[in-house]
Amino acid sequence: MRKLKSGIDGFLGLAGLAGIIIMTVSVVLRYCFKLSLSWSDEFLRTLCIYVYFIGSAMMCAEGGLMRLELLDDSLKKKGRVGAYRTVVKIQRLIETVCFGAFSFQMVQMTIGLVGQTSTTSTTPAWVSPLGCAIGMVLMTLISTSKLFFEKSELETAD
């Protein structure tokens, strides 16, 4: 799992660097030389989709996604370990179901676009939504793993 995370982090870093370089070259060519890279806008848009959704999956793995913690904090302060564990399990179950539903929809959408091209270029239409589908499937796998295998911080403290 560590190697996978390291590989994904490397991909995200290289994708960010590639995006910066392509955007800079595109702007310089457009405004200094009056030349345009016709493919750069669509490439950057697609790259942004991949980085956003795969990066969100990595945030999910690290516990960095934003959520409402009022109930969690209240139960922790009151020392209600059993209630806290139940709330965490329910939250993780809801996460898993929602991410799974989104994954299913994105995979179906991506498959439905096979054979079509984008409206702005000859790029296959399934390339952009595939980034979202990959990210959503990763989030589903991560949340499922957390639901069944990861202990909450109060469980590890006991």
Side-chain angles (χ1 to χ4, degrees):
M1 193 67 178
R2 232 179 271 140
K3 284 185 180 184
L4 177 63
K5 183 187 175 318
S6 177
I8 291 173
D9 286 345
F11 164 76
L12 293 173
L14 287 175
L17 180 63
I20 291 168
I21 290 169
I22 290 170
M23 187 181 306
T24 302
V25 168
S26 181
V27 168
V28 168
L29 286 174
R30 182 177 297 139
Y31 291 107
C32 294
F33 300 103
K34 306 293 184 212
L35 298 171
S36 178
L37 295 176
S38 59
W39 54 268
S40 66
D41 288 340
E42 188 166 356
F43 177 79
L44 290 169
R45 192 172 325 130
T46 300
L47 187 66
C48 185
I49 291 168
Y50 276 78
V51 169
Y52 180 83
F53 283 99
I54 295 172
S56 294
M58 292 300 92
M59 290 296 294
C60 180
E62 295 172 4
L65 291 181
M66 191 168 59
R67 64 188 179 98
L68 187 59
E69 297 175 339
L70 292 173
L71 183 58
D72 295 10
D73 291 343
S74 173
L75 292 172
K76 283 184 206 176
K77 285 179 186 174
K78 293 178 182 176
R80 305 211 35 210
V81 177
Y84 172 78
R85 288 179 184 158
T86 303
V87 166
V88 168
K89 287 291 184 188
I90 290 170
Q91 289 172 341
R92 289 185 178 159
L93 178 63
I94 291 169
E95 260 181 22
T96 302
V97 169
C98 289
F99 290 151
F102 293 145
S103 295
F104 179 78
Q105 289 297 318
M106 287 310 303
V107 168
Q108 291 296 328
M109 185 172 123
T110 303
I111 291 169
L113 292 172
V114 170
Q116 299 178 32
T117 58
S118 75
T119 56
T120 56
S121 70
T122 58
T123 305
W126 56 266
V127 171
S128 286
L130 179 63
C132 180
I134 290 169
M136 294 311 300
V137 167
L138 283 171
M139 282 190 252
T140 302
L141 294 173
I142 290 164
S143 62
T144 302
S145 170
K146 285 183 173 188
L147 177 64
F148 292 110
F149 303 113
E150 187 178 271
K151 294 184 180 218
S152 69
E153 63 186 63
L154 283 183
E155 289 175 306
T156 56
D158 289 346

